Amino acid sequence: MLNYNDIITRFYTPGTPLYDVLTIHSQQVADLAATICDRLIAHGTPVDADFVYEAAMLHDIGIVKVDAPAIHCAGTEPYIRHGIAGRKMLDSLALYRHALVCERHTGAGLTLNDIVSQNLPLPHRDLTPQSLEEKIVCYADKFFSKTHLGEPARDLDRVRRSLARFGDDSLARFDALHALLAI
């Protein structure tokens, strides 16, 4: 199994507020993702649970590059680019599969149409989760906040209301993830 802590400490200083934001949030996401994997495996669905756990621990590694003072991020990139930044960081370590999780977990995934129609500062390509493992991390991430660390998982209605703000397509993508992965 990959030592994700070594990777995190390449970019983050333990004991800092930003390190805590990343690791507490990621641990919550990883724990929920592991529960989802256990349920899927119990029902006969093959899933790479070790990879899911690692990817969940690394999915937000790019927040160090963004400007988001409320969560102790002092970078220069807009927050929406944290997944792109994370992909670049993990690609530099030849962790290409993990890097795709970073890039594809934002919202319920972002389509090319979303990016172009909303003039988002993102590459013009589909950024929706493709593999089952990517979908698990994307889904689990929606239940936990980085601004309210350690709080219990959000309930489904709250997650749906949050995603509905970004349009019917975003909500429909989340609902499809929920139908596939709900525990």
Side-chain angles (χ1 to χ4, degrees), residues 150-168:
E151 285 188 358
R154 296 173 178 158
D155 66 43
L156 181 62
D157 288 338
R158 185 171 174 198
V159 173
R160 292 186 81 253
R161 282 192 308 273
S162 176
L163 286 166
R165 298 181 328 210
F166 301 103
D168 292 341

Side-chain angles (χ1 to χ4, degrees), residues 8 25 48 54 91 93 95-96 99 111 122 130:
I8 291 169
H25 169 74
D48 186 342
E54 296 164 1
D91 276 349
L93 302 174
L95 297 172
Y96 306 114
T111 65
L122 297 169
Q130 300 299 307

Side-chain angles (χ1 to χ4, degrees), residues 18 22 27-28 32 45 70 78 122 130 138 151 161 171 177:
L18 180 55
L22 176 70
Q27 188 67 64
Q28 289 180 299
L32 178 56
T45 303
L122 297 169
Q130 300 299 307
C138 179
E151 285 188 358
R161 282 192 308 273
L171 182 57
L177 290 174

